[in-house]
């Protein structure tokens, strides 16, 4: 085992002065396992080169052991590379390597340097790449945010007709005296270039428009305390959706059935079935309005079909899509969305406030 270095993750940056690729490799410190320190630690290898292949080859100048990539969990790409160059070539390079896991996660750095994301202390794991990977999988399990985060899925999204790639964004944050990493946004792409980000609230709304997320918190204005918000945790969600072209107009209908548990609410409690029904109706109407408002904001301010409606139309009727795909941006911006939500409140777990 001393003759190999197991790579857990790689961060990819550009050197502003030389223009070369800068790579930071997070490697599992196998000696820490032998020493019984309560888990493995990380070692870091910095390298650079005109391209990624050269940068990896240059690690041989300072290592006698062989780099082992088959357990690699995370590839972190700098925001600068994603915005200015695009990520197609980076993904293609790693996919072409026979040793690299096709299931490793792709994330975008919310810091100036991608390397900053891997040089942190994990809360659940001492290895930052493993910590990031677990957070990404938890989001996927709960259908929150970007779904095409594996490298092969991300690459396929770039190649597939009508798809818009979305990837999770991570940043560093202070936690007591340590620096940790946390998810902060969802990046969206036009072709292979990053063009914008959805913040945490927008990511929740996006998730409700494309899937059936759970373990997300909905905040709504309190009925009994003006200026205050009540919060509800989504425990269960079922969705049904219709996407169609009607005489050249994109029409989307979305139905949501949600079960929520109150987290923080500003009343003493529901005193009757009628009060419960009225509250559920109120929550449903607020959610409908917010989702339709969010959709309209994406249409006006982003203008890109981040919801993959183009792909759905293409799958249903390739000929109809081919006839309008050159005008899809215009069609999306003129699309009509109707949301029907039905929220039911679970009584347990409520935190009550006056």
């Amino acid at each position: 085992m001393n003759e190999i270095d197991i790579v857990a993750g790689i961060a990819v940056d550009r050197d502003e002065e030389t223009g070369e690729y800068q790579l930071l490799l997070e490697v599992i410190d196998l000696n820490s396992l032998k020493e019984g320190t309560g888990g493995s630690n990380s070692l870091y290898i910095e390298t650079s080169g005109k391209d990624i292949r050269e940068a990896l080859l240059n690690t041989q100048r300072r290592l006698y052991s062989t780099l082992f990539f088959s357990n690699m969990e995370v590839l972190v790409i700098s925001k600068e590379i994603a915005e200015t160059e695009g990520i197609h070539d980076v993904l293609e390079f790693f996919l072409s390597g026979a040793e690299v896991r096709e299931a490793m996660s792709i994330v975008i750095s919310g810091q100036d340097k991608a390397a900053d994301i891997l040089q942190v202390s994990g809360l659940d794991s001492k290895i930052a790449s493993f910590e990031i990977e677990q957070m990404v999988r938890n989001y996927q399990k709960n259908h929150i945010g970007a779904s095409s985060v594996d490298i092969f899925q991300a690459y396929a999204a770039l190649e597939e007709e009508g798809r818009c790639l979305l990837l999770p964004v991570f940043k560093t944050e202070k936690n007591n005296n340590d620096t940790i990493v946390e998810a902060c946004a969802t990046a969206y792409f036009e072709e292979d270039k990053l063009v914008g980000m959805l913040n945490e609230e927008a990511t929740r709304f996006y998730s409700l428009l494309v899937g059936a997320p759970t373990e997300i918190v909905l905040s709504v204005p309190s009925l009994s305390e003006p200026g205050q918000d009540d919060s509800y945790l989504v425990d269960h969600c079922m969705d049904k959706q219709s996407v169609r072209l009607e005489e050249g107009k994109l029409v989307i209908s979305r139905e949501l059935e949600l079960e929520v548990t109150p987290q923080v609410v500003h009343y003493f409690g529901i005193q009757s079935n009628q009060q419960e029904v009225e509250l559920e109706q109120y929550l449903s109407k607020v959610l409908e309005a917010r989702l339709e408002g969010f959709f309209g904001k994406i249409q006006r301010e982003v203008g890109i079909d981040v919801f993959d409606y183009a792909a759905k139309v293409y799958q249903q009727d390739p000929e109809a899509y081919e006839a309008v795909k050159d005008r899809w941006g215009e069609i999306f911006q003129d699309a009509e969305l109707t949301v029907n939500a039905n929220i039911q409140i679970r009584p347990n777990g409520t935190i009550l406030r006056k």
Side-chain angles (χ1 to χ4, degrees):
M1 291 294 284
N2 289 334
E3 296 180 357
I4 65 170
D5 283 324
I6 299 175
V7 179
I10 296 180
V12 183
D13 289 296
R14 276 279 191 193
D15 188 298
E16 295 179 359
E17 295 182 359
T18 66
E20 291 189 332
Y21 277 102
Q22 281 187 324
L23 271 57
L24 180 81
L25 284 66
E26 184 179 26
V27 174
I28 299 173
D29 181 6
L30 297 178
N31 287 325
S32 65
L33 289 173
K34 296 178 184 178
E35 295 164 2
T37 57
S40 57
N41 296 319
S42 294
L43 298 174
Y44 297 99
I45 303 168
E46 293 180 337
T47 183
S48 60
K50 295 191 299 293
D51 54 37
I52 296 175
R53 185 179 303 279
E54 181 180 280
L56 290 175
L57 287 173
N58 285 342
T59 60
Q60 297 175 2
R61 298 178 181 178
R62 57 190 68 177
L63 294 172
Y64 69 85
S65 53
T66 301
L67 292 175
F68 184 75
F69 294 96
S70 295
N71 278 21
M72 185 169 156
E73 298 283 354
V74 171
L75 178 65
V76 186
I77 302 175
S78 74
K79 183 170 63 174
E80 178 189 7
I81 289 176
E83 287 176 336
T84 59
E85 304 173 30
I87 66 172
H88 180 277
D89 292 348
V90 175
L91 299 187
E92 191 168 63
F93 171 81
F94 282 100
L95 271 176
S96 66
E99 294 181 348
V100 175
R101 293 174 63 243
E102 291 187 354
M104 72 176 176
S105 296
I106 311 299
V107 304
I108 302 300
S109 172
Q111 303 297 120
D112 291 337
K113 291 292 184 180
D116 295 341
I117 300 299
L118 295 185
Q119 294 175 304
V120 299
S121 302
L123 291 178
D124 298 310
S125 171
K126 295 180 181 180
I127 300 173
S129 295
F130 291 174
E131 180 110 328
I132 294 168
E133 168 71 6
Q134 189 56 56
M135 285 189 278
V136 168
R137 295 306 167 200
N138 285 340
Y139 278 117
Q140 280 193 310
K141 182 181 71 175
N142 294 321
H143 306 285
I144 300 171
S147 58
S148 299
V149 296
D150 293 346
I151 187 169
F152 76 93
Q153 292 176 329
Y155 188 81
L158 295 179
E159 301 293 319
E160 188 176 335
E161 188 71 51
R163 290 287 304 280
C164 175
L165 174 64
L166 283 85
L167 292 174
V169 181
F170 281 79
K171 68 175 183 177
T172 61
E173 193 65 62
K174 286 292 184 182
N175 181 67
N176 295 324
N177 295 323
D178 296 323
T179 300
I180 63 169
V181 65
E182 66 179 24
C184 63
T186 301
Y188 55 86
F189 292 71
E190 189 167 23
E191 295 183 347
D192 74 328
K193 290 186 177 179
L194 189 159
V195 292
M197 296 186 184
L198 305 176
N199 62 22
E200 291 184 70
E201 181 182 56
T203 296
R204 289 195 293 270
F205 291 156
Y206 166 84
S207 302
L208 285 163
L209 285 178
V210 299
T214 56
E215 300 298 319
I216 63 172
V217 175
L218 301 178
S219 294
V220 299
S222 173
L223 274 175
S224 57
E225 292 287 338
Q228 299 292 330
D229 282 348
D230 294 338
S231 60
Y232 298 82
L233 178 68
V234 177
D235 296 309
H236 181 71
C237 180
M238 295 180 62
D239 70 314
K240 184 178 179 181
Q241 180 168 269
S242 169
V243 179
R244 60 195 183 278
L245 281 175
E246 294 183 356
E247 298 181 354
K249 186 179 182 67
L250 179 63
V251 179
I252 307 109
S253 300
R254 186 153 182 81
E255 297 180 11
L256 291 168
E257 298 276 344
L258 298 95
E259 293 181 3
V260 301
T261 299
Q263 299 298 290
V264 179
V265 292
H266 294 79
Y267 55 83
F268 282 111
I270 296 172
Q271 302 298 321
S272 67
N273 289 337
Q274 181 62 29
Q275 284 182 313
E276 182 175 353
V277 169
E278 289 175 358
L279 180 57
E280 290 174 341
Q281 290 176 343
Y282 167 73
L283 296 178
S284 299
K285 293 301 180 185
V286 169
L287 181 59
E288 290 170 358
R290 287 192 169 179
L291 291 179
E292 291 174 1
F294 167 71
F295 179 77
K297 185 176 181 179
I298 294 294
Q299 288 177 297
R300 294 188 306 273
E301 299 181 9
V302 176
I304 298 172
D305 178 11
V306 300
F307 307 100
D308 287 345
Y309 295 136
K312 292 178 175 62
V313 171
Y314 177 75
Q315 292 165 3
Q316 295 169 6
D317 192 340
E319 290 186 6
Y321 174 75
E322 289 292 334
V324 300
K325 72 174 185 179
D326 292 338
R327 299 188 296 109
W328 190 259
E330 175 186 337
I331 288 173
F332 171 72
Q333 292 171 34
D334 191 48
E336 178 182 302
L337 168 72
T338 302
V339 179
N340 290 305
N342 180 22
I343 293 180
Q344 292 184 323
I345 299 173
R346 289 179 172 180
N348 57 310
T350 307
I351 300 174
L352 300 176
R353 291 184 179 176
K354 289 185 178 181

